[in-house]
Amino acid sequence: GTDASDDDLDGYSENDGDCDDGDVDVNPAANEECDGIDNDCDDETDEDSAIDADTWYADNDGDGYGDATSSATSCEQPTGYVADATDCNDADAAYNPGATESCDDPADYNCDGSTEYEDNDADGFAACEDCNDSESTVNPDAVEICDGIDNDCSGDADSDATDASTWYEDG
């Protein structure tokens, strides 16, 4: 009363646990995939161990960015999880890679490791006020000189430079 044939020639018969002897890709040794089929004949479809399941990250503050230390693997996106794992503070929606920072607030809202408030070159100007916060001789109070650099952060290099030569028209 048992069928010992292997109709799909995958090496498994119904007696060996093949749950679909008409599909060579479905048998007890097959990898589970996210395809709506019980590929490995374990009576579960698209379980978390599927070889093409995605990793999702908990988004506890609902800002669209997840916590890299809290993840789940699943074929379907679980409620409260997102694909992006770049949130630096998943307890506060104000902190995420898409957040903006202000010049008067020392918090690193956009998770980039620095703030607009910082003065990396110690020239007295916050990064958001300084056109080059890695060079202390370049800032809004600097003297513009002829060197091809916008020393005074005016937006124009060498304009009104103090060491500029005076030129006269030779009519």
Side-chain angles (χ1 to χ4, degrees), residues 32-55:
E32 186 65 36
E33 297 179 28
C34 296
D35 59 2
I37 299 171
D38 179 15
N39 308 89
D40 58 5
C41 299
D42 66 355
D43 294 327
E44 293 184 49
T45 302
D46 296 347
E47 59 259 31
D48 296 344
S49 62
I51 61 171
D52 56 347
D54 292 314
T55 301

Side-chain angles (χ1 to χ4, degrees), residues 63-66 84-88 94-100 109-112:
D63 61 4
Y65 299 89
D84 186 309
T86 58
D87 201 335
C88 60
Y95 292 84
N96 64 67
T100 57
Y109 291 105
N110 65 4
C111 306
D112 69 355

Side-chain angles (χ1 to χ4, degrees), residues 88-112:
C88 60
N89 182 346
D90 202 36
D92 189 336
Y95 292 84
N96 64 67
T100 57
E101 296 176 351
S102 66
C103 202
D104 59 351
D105 191 336
D108 180 17
Y109 291 105
N110 65 4
C111 306
D112 69 355

Side-chain angles (χ1 to χ4, degrees), residues 12-82:
Y12 294 89
S13 68
E14 288 180 24
N15 288 346
D16 298 325
D18 194 337
C19 56
D20 185 351
D21 205 26
D23 187 342
V24 69
D25 295 322
V26 175
N27 61 66
N31 289 318
E32 186 65 36
E33 297 179 28
C34 296
D35 59 2
I37 299 171
D38 179 15
N39 308 89
D40 58 5
C41 299
D42 66 355
D43 294 327
E44 293 184 49
T45 302
D46 296 347
E47 59 259 31
D48 296 344
S49 62
I51 61 171
D52 56 347
D54 292 314
T55 301
W56 304 94
Y57 302 92
D59 181 16
N60 296 311
D61 58 12
D63 61 4
Y65 299 89
D67 179 358
T69 65
S70 180
S71 65
T73 304
S74 177
C75 292
E76 299 288 326
Q77 181 177 1
T79 301
Y81 284 74
V82 296

Side-chain angles (χ1 to χ4, degrees), residues 100-140:
T100 57
E101 296 176 351
S102 66
C103 202
D104 59 351
D105 191 336
D108 180 17
Y109 291 105
N110 65 4
C111 306
D112 69 355
S114 67
T115 69
E116 294 295 314
Y117 184 80
E118 290 178 11
D119 181 11
N120 295 316
D121 60 8
D123 62 3
F125 290 91
C128 58
E129 300 170 328
D130 197 335
C131 60
N132 184 344
D133 200 35
S134 62
E135 178 58 53
S136 64
T137 61
V138 177
N139 62 66

